[in-house]
Amino acid sequence: MKNYTSIQDVENLDQLVQEAVELKQSPFEHKHLGENKTLGMIFYNPSLRTRLSTQRAGFNLGMNVIVMNIGSDGWALEFEDGAVMNSNKAEHIKEAAEVISQYCDVIAIRTFPELKDRELDYSEPVISAFKKYATAPIVSMESATGHPLQALADLITIEEYKIVEKPKIVLTWAPHPKLLPQAVSNSFVEFMKKSDKVDLVITHPKGYELDSSKTEGVTIEYDQDKAFEGADFIYAKNWSSYENYGQAGEVDYSWMIDEAKMKKTNNGKFMHCLPVRRNVVVADDVMDNKDRNITIQEANNRTYSAQIVLKKILENIT
Ligand code: SN0
């Protein structure tokens, strides 16, 4: 594997999931792979799971890890080609990416969208500039439009907890007081679509359609109750409107997931990438029910999704 910034970087998804499940059984077996290799983790935005699990994954592989909050601690970077840099941006991405590549054998980046200009966000300005100018492999730790490490962890979790051959997975929109990216949902859809082992249904209020090029071929059910019928997994996530991009529209708080809704499922498990707003996105009666809520185990799998990806990248550079 050369880079890991989207589903395009995955050759055989179901096999990658199997390899991650196996890796989890013996996580320290490949410590030699990362010896004298440095992982650089660059954050523009906050993180808990991604930061700790990716660092842990690096350690499990014997890597050294450098973490930098570039948004608050670095020079403000210019991304525009040919810019006259006489304002507040002190350094161009051309120099920054090449310099970081000398210190780090793998560069992982977290960068959220601005949620103002859809075309700009969907062009992935930060991650694509790093890919262009860095000489080290690039890993997305959630970019403007995707979160492939999360989606891989989700698939690993489904593989572990499924009790039927081909489970019904429901991605449900959930209410939230803030304007959130579509990144987690986009990658979730892409990964579930690519896997041969799941059936995906999406449910959301009208006006919250995701990018249709990503949801093509997936069943969309606007009635949340109906969508939940027979579901083996409920994957909740808020996202802001793709159509009315960057606009805070009506938020229908009746879309919160609670135990009454979960009862319509096939004894379904509840998943969410976390952090989650209790009693807004999901009620306490689901979150505190250990038979339903597998978000903690899901978060644990973030280590193994990052570790299998780093392992593949290391195998490619050593
Ligand atoms: C991010 C998102 O993409 O939705 C990261 C998820 C892994 N979530 C948030 O920003 C939630 C922030 C909040 O205030 O609840």
Side-chain angles (χ1 to χ4, degrees):
M1 191 180 280
K2 207 164 165 278
N3 299 293
Y4 187 76
T5 61
S6 82
I7 186 85
Q8 320 296 350
D9 294 314
V10 180
E11 250 175 59
N12 187 332
L13 180 57
D14 290 325
Q15 193 187 314
L16 192 66
V17 169
Q18 281 310 326
E19 287 178 43
V21 170
E22 283 159 29
L23 190 71
K24 195 173 172 178
Q25 308 309 315
S26 49
F28 309 117
E29 207 174 278
H30 307 281
K31 274 216 146 166
H32 62 282
L33 258 183
E35 202 182 7
N36 299 330
K37 292 278 186 290
T38 298
L39 169 65
M41 296 172 49
I42 309 281
F43 287 91
Y44 275 97
N45 305 96
S47 167
L48 187 153
R49 276 147 294 277
T50 299
R51 180 162 171 163
L52 298 180
S53 65
T54 310
Q55 201 162 345
R56 167 91 203 214
F59 291 148
N60 285 358
L61 288 164
M63 300 182 86
N64 298 309
V65 185
I66 301 175
V67 183
M68 183 177 188
N69 297 324
I70 203 167
S72 55
D73 301 345
W75 300 108
L77 295 185
E78 177 63 65
F79 285 84
E80 205 180 303
D81 206 13
V84 177
M85 291 170 59
N86 61 358
S87 184
N88 60 334
K89 311 257 175 73
E91 178 157 27
H92 203 280
I93 181 67
K94 290 185 184 181
E95 281 74 49
E98 233 185 308
V99 167
I100 297 170
S101 301
Q102 295 181 116
Y103 309 142
C104 304
D105 301 281
V106 182
I107 304 173
I109 301 158
R110 162 157 289 194
T111 170
F112 286 173
E114 285 178 1
L115 291 176
K116 289 188 186 106
D117 177 341
R118 185 170 83 186
E119 214 178 307
L120 179 69
D121 286 344
Y122 273 72
S123 77
E124 290 286 3
V126 176
I127 212 114
S128 50
F130 269 96
K131 269 171 101 167
K132 189 166 174 192
Y133 298 116
T135 54
I138 301 295
V139 173
S140 164
M141 297 192 293
E142 186 171 354
S143 67
T145 69
H147 196 352
L149 284 177
Q150 179 66 49
L152 181 55
D154 295 335
L155 211 45
I156 297 168
T157 310
I158 288 167
E159 182 62 24
E160 287 178 333
Y161 282 89
K162 69 175 187 189
I163 45 169
V164 296
E165 187 67 22
K166 205 172 187 196
K168 176 180 174 181
I169 318 285
V170 176
L171 167 63
T172 178
W173 182 90
H176 199 285
K178 276 172 56 183
L179 213 57
L180 295 189
Q182 291 120 27
V184 170
S185 316
N186 282 342
S187 289
F188 188 78
V189 170
E190 287 172 334
F191 276 66
M192 296 305 131
K193 260 176 79 170
K194 181 117 178 218
S195 171
D196 291 327
K197 297 175 141 189
V198 300
D199 276 325
L200 177 65
V201 173
I202 307 176
T203 183
H204 55 69
K206 290 227 161 79
Y208 284 95
E209 287 75 13
L210 291 163
D211 178 357
S212 60
S213 70
K214 298 194 194 295
T215 57
E216 202 187 337
V218 182
T219 307
I220 296 173
E221 170 57 69
Y222 292 100
D223 182 334
Q224 193 189 34
D225 287 339
K226 234 169 128 185
F228 273 42
E229 281 169 21
D232 299 293
F233 294 88
I234 298 297
Y235 192 92
K237 183 71 186 85
N238 170 269
W239 62 86
S240 57
S241 173
Y242 177 79
E243 192 184 327
N244 299 309
Y245 202 78
Q247 314 272 312
E250 270 302 289
V251 176
D252 185 347
Y253 284 93
S254 74
W255 278 68
M256 179 179 77
I257 291 91
D258 60 10
E259 183 55 26
K261 288 182 189 174
M262 291 302 295
K263 283 217 160 60
K264 296 178 202 297
T265 66
N266 180 28
N267 204 13
K269 301 289 187 196
F270 178 82
M271 297 178 71
H272 188 283
C273 62
L274 305 180
V276 75
R277 305 270 189 140
R278 279 174 173 249
N279 303 310
V280 177
V281 169
V282 53
D284 282 337
D285 61 5
V286 176
M287 284 306 280
D288 293 330
N289 179 346
K290 293 285 182 199
D291 292 329
R292 291 257 188 244
N293 174 10
I294 56 167
T295 58
I296 305 302
Q297 297 93 322
E298 182 185 359
N300 189 37
N301 281 332
R302 291 297 308 278
T303 296
Y304 306 103
S305 77
Q307 196 174 332
I308 193 69
V309 163
L310 289 172
K311 178 173 178 278
K312 295 267 170 205
I313 290 176
L314 286 171
E315 282 166 348
N316 192 51
I317 57 177
T318 39

